Amino acid sequence: MKKIILAADVGGTTCKLGLFDEDLERLEKWSIETDTTDSTGYTLLKGVYDSFEEKVAAFGYSFEDVIGVGIGVPGPVDFESGIVNGAVNLYWKGNVKVREIFQQFVSCPVYVDNDANVAALGEKHKGAGKGADDVVAITLGTGLGGGIISNGEIVHGHNGSGAEIGHFRVDHDQRFKCNCGKSGCIETVASATGVVNLVNFYYPKLTFKSSILELIKSNKVTAKAVFNAAKAGDQFCIFITERVANYIAYLCSIISVTSNPKYIVLGGGMSTAGLILIENIKTEYYNLTFSPAQQGTEIVQAELGNDAGITGAAGLIYTYVLEKEGIK
């Protein structure tokens, strides 16, 4: 019988859990409600372990068959220690020693990383990254985040802040304040929130008429509405879409001359806008980027959707245990 990997993608509402074999093939996935009543993290992590214990037994395994446990968490993580420096959505305050807590329950290796990093690792191993050693994932949602994989390993930096790509300053006029406390971050102009920021900023200044005028007036405009109107030929929404695409292309250009990825994977809700966004990003990317750095690089849409997190969490064990030991 093959050995197994346990994976957890911890979110503010649910914890997505998975059981994988040693080839990173998923055997089962399920979810439990996230317990945010305990700011130490112990209750949440004990609940994850209890659910794992039940599922491991149901599949006829024991914990002696578990190679390791990978955990993705929505907060800044010190990868070496497995300590999370607070997680707002989980109501964790201060340092939470996730690895140390979970090692109370299991004797196998436990690896912990930021949720955006593990999603990138998931796309590398089983998604649009197609197993390449150099992959960047950009998540375009309410905010903008991502992960960078270089030479097969996640870029963490000396204090875990590596690949915080949402905080590149691209809006040098600093028109909109970011949740980080600064202004001008790409998150303020190229996320779903950023689309709305640009709509509200530009509409009073331009002569375009728009089919989403009533949404603008009632403060109900969304990124999805903008992209749908752009696809239908709305000139104002096309303008906004091109502005957003240009910012993302600029980000991709910087990344290309920094880590030279084979694949730049675009995920998150905004990536489902499809060709009208992605093709605009590609066009501007090729205009901007140093020619040798763009050769062979592909900008692609993410493939794993909500499964990227648990796949990447399992990928932590595959990458840092099996591959490191030369088993894979």
Side-chain angles (χ1 to χ4, degrees):
M1 182 180 286
K2 285 187 174 182
K3 290 187 176 293
I4 57 173
I5 298 170
L6 301 178
D9 177 19
V10 178
T13 305
T14 62
C15 297
K16 299 178 183 68
L17 307 179
L19 190 155
F20 292 75
D21 70 16
E22 57 197 83
D23 295 316
L24 272 191
E25 296 299 326
R26 191 181 69 230
L27 305 176
E28 180 73 306
K29 69 172 181 175
W30 70 103
S31 63
I32 61 172
E33 186 176 344
T34 300
D35 190 322
T36 58
T37 60
D38 175 9
S39 64
T40 71
Y42 181 90
T43 303
L44 186 159
L45 294 168
K46 181 61 163 62
V48 169
Y49 168 74
D50 289 343
S51 188
F52 278 150
E53 187 176 41
E54 182 180 321
K55 196 66 70 170
V56 166
F59 271 74
Y61 291 99
S62 74
F63 269 85
E64 291 183 357
D65 301 311
V66 178
I67 301 166
V69 180
I71 304 173
V73 179
V77 178
D78 183 311
F79 185 71
E80 294 301 320
S81 66
I83 294 175
V84 180
N85 184 17
V88 175
N89 291 341
L90 304 179
Y91 299 95
W92 290 358
K93 298 176 181 178
N95 290 336
V96 176
K97 299 177 180 179
V98 174
R99 176 183 290 161
E100 185 177 303
I101 292 171
F102 216 87
Q103 292 282 191
Q104 297 176 37
F105 315 132
V106 299
S107 57
C108 61
V110 176
Y111 279 81
V112 185
D113 211 331
N114 171 265
D115 55 356
N117 285 343
V118 300
L121 197 60
E123 288 291 344
K124 165 197 157 43
H125 281 300
K126 289 293 182 179
K130 305 185 189 308
D133 280 342
D134 296 277
V135 176
V136 172
I138 301 174
T139 304
L140 305 168
T142 303
L144 189 152
I148 297 174
I149 298 166
S150 183
N151 296 325
E153 295 196 16
I154 297 168
V155 172
H156 294 105
H158 75 93
N159 68 4
S161 297
E164 287 288 351
I165 58 179
H167 302 289
F168 274 107
R169 177 173 286 175
V170 300
D171 178 20
H172 298 293
D173 293 329
Q174 300 178 52
R175 293 169 292 179
F176 314 109
K177 192 163 186 176
C178 182
N179 287 334
C180 75
K182 298 187 181 296
S183 298
C185 298
I186 191 170
E187 185 168 293
T188 68
V189 289
S191 63
T193 303
V195 171
V196 176
N197 284 342
L198 292 178
V199 166
N200 290 331
F201 178 82
Y202 279 113
Y203 196 77
K205 297 173 173 57
L206 299 176
T207 57
F208 291 117
K209 296 191 183 299
S210 178
S211 59
I212 65 166
L213 177 59
E214 291 306 314
L215 291 176
I216 297 171
K217 286 181 176 178
S218 60
N219 203 29
K220 293 181 179 178
V221 68
T222 63
K224 182 178 181 180
V226 172
F227 295 135
N228 285 342
K231 292 174 190 176
D234 185 298
Q235 289 301 303
F236 175 69
C237 292
I238 290 172
F239 169 81
I240 295 295
T241 301
E242 289 175 346
R243 295 296 302 165
V244 171
N246 288 355
Y247 287 125
I248 297 169
Y250 178 63
L251 172 63
C252 293
S253 178
I254 292 171
I255 289 169
S256 282
V257 295
T258 306
S259 69
N260 191 214
K262 169 61 179 170
Y263 295 100
I264 299 174
V265 181
L266 304 179
M270 265 178 51
S271 70
T272 61
L275 294 180
I276 195 160
L277 180 63
I278 293 175
E279 289 304 314
N280 272 300
I281 292 170
K282 288 181 180 180
T283 298
E284 185 64 8
Y285 170 78
Y286 293 126
N287 288 336
L288 286 173
T289 308
F290 179 54
S291 294
Q294 66 175 254
Q295 289 174 7
T297 295
E298 298 180 42
I299 297 176
V300 296
Q301 190 169 347
E303 295 178 357
L304 296 182
N306 289 332
D307 290 341
I310 55 169
T311 304
L316 290 172
I317 304 305
Y318 187 92
T319 299
Y320 295 101
V321 178
L322 296 180
E323 288 187 334
K324 285 286 187 184
E325 294 178 1
I327 299 171
K328 293 294 180 182

